[in-house]
Amino acid sequence: MSATRKQIIQRHTVGGNVWLAHDAADNDYLAKLPVHDLAYEVLPSEESVGRAMLEEIENIAAAKDGTLVIVILGGRGGQALHRLLGAMAKTSDHDALFSRLHVFTQDALAPMRMDNGLSFVRDFERLLGNDFFRKVKSFTSMRTDAGDLEQELVRYIERLESLGGIDLFFLGLGPEAAGASHLAYIKPGSGATYNDVAGLIPISESILEHHINKFKAGGTAVTEADEAECRAAKHILTLGPAAILGARRIVQSIVDADTAPAKVESYRQLLTTKIADDAEARQTQFDQNPGLWLRVHPNVRSLILSNVAPLSRHGRPRSAAPTVVGDHATSGKALDKQQL
């Protein structure tokens, strides 16, 4: 099936969570996905992580003709990259690269004004600058002020799919209770399955605190009015497991364990958890700890600082970036069904 072909979006609910997919989930298929160790690189500074993330964009641009679809990361994990891109956009030296980029966001709190200082878009604007937005091929965010948030999410999915899928997905790792973690804003217990492209889930107090604290730690000036509106948000719009598994390349960055120390345990569990072979058990495992979705993607680069580095021997530390490859076999097969 062509990635640009229009497809029917199916809605299913789990508790108060709304998920959008193209087909019903098949847990037996999920159980067939190979499990991978996560290879991580310990870098000396946030700036070096940002440079490594920039190299990923440049590598994919060199390996592929035409336009590129990238999903950028909000919060501190992406800020070093965004500062570099913002500085580059002030000159004409990299205009050819910028003109090829279709840029998407991955999650958002809603309802909320688009110009709220605690929105990811405002943080992107602050660091990337007007020149970046003027030069890229397109920038698509989730409209958190839409009257119908679910329909807005459908619009967003259709736009993303019309461009042929994600070439490069930048992800972080959000800490959750008992050492679990979230990717994008796929929360534990939200019922996401491998073919859910995006979701609308109820917000929680822990997410609000994590969101606000990471913005403050990243240097965002937060007004009382912005914080009050943010704390009144009721939903999270997020890309789902299908978007993550369908990305041709994932680059994870974790640079803020100093302000979010729970990430150390969350990362240890990401590396060390034994993934179940049984279909139902694996789905339950991934629902309880959504960070584990990374373990069934074959093309992940994980960039961390030394304060995140595990003390055990789990995972596969490495010092050099792997060669960028094209469509991977696992997601290529999976996306015959939902094509992102």
Side-chain angles (χ1 to χ4, degrees), residues 3 64 68-70 160-167 246-248 340:
K64 178 187 175 184
L68 310 172
V69 176
I70 66 172
L160 182 59
E161 292 182 340
S162 73
L163 296 172
I166 300 167
D167 293 299
R248 298 174 179 91
L340 240 189

Side-chain angles (χ1 to χ4, degrees), residues 83-157:
R83 291 189 186 97
L84 286 172
L85 292 172
M88 290 165 57
K90 294 182 183 299
T91 75
S92 61
D93 296 345
H94 306 278
D95 286 3
L97 172 61
F98 289 134
S99 69
R100 297 171 60 193
L101 298 182
H102 290 291
V103 182
F104 286 79
T105 58
Q106 60 187 269
D107 48 35
L109 276 61
M112 197 160 69
R113 299 182 336 270
M114 295 295 289
D115 63 354
N116 186 301
L118 286 166
S119 75
F120 285 125
V121 171
R122 282 301 300 273
D123 198 47
F124 295 147
E125 291 172 348
R126 177 174 68 90
L127 295 171
L128 291 166
N130 291 333
D131 291 325
F132 175 86
F133 290 96
R134 178 172 55 85
K135 292 181 177 182
V136 295
K137 189 79 171 176
S138 71
F139 178 82
T140 305
S141 63
M142 298 173 177
R143 297 290 311 185
T144 57
D145 57 355
D148 186 335
L149 292 173
E150 193 172 322
Q151 188 56 42
E152 161 59 20
L153 204 53
V154 172
R155 176 203 68 83
Y156 181 88
I157 293 168

Side-chain angles (χ1 to χ4, degrees), residues 77 94 99 121 142 158 167-168 182 184 190 193 215 254 259 272 278 280 305-306 314 317 330 332:
H94 306 278
S99 69
V121 171
M142 298 173 177
E158 291 174 342
D167 293 299
L168 181 58
H182 64 258
S190 61
T193 63
F215 269 71
I254 307 175
T259 57
T272 63
D278 174 75
E280 185 175 347
L305 300 185
S306 60
H314 294 283
T330 300

Side-chain angles (χ1 to χ4, degrees), residues 269-291:
Q269 291 198 24
L270 171 62
L271 296 181
T272 63
T273 298
K274 178 175 173 51
I275 306 301
D277 294 324
D278 174 75
E280 185 175 347
R282 182 176 290 192
Q283 174 58 40
T284 299
Q285 207 172 26
F286 286 12
D287 188 37
Q288 292 174 344
N289 187 357

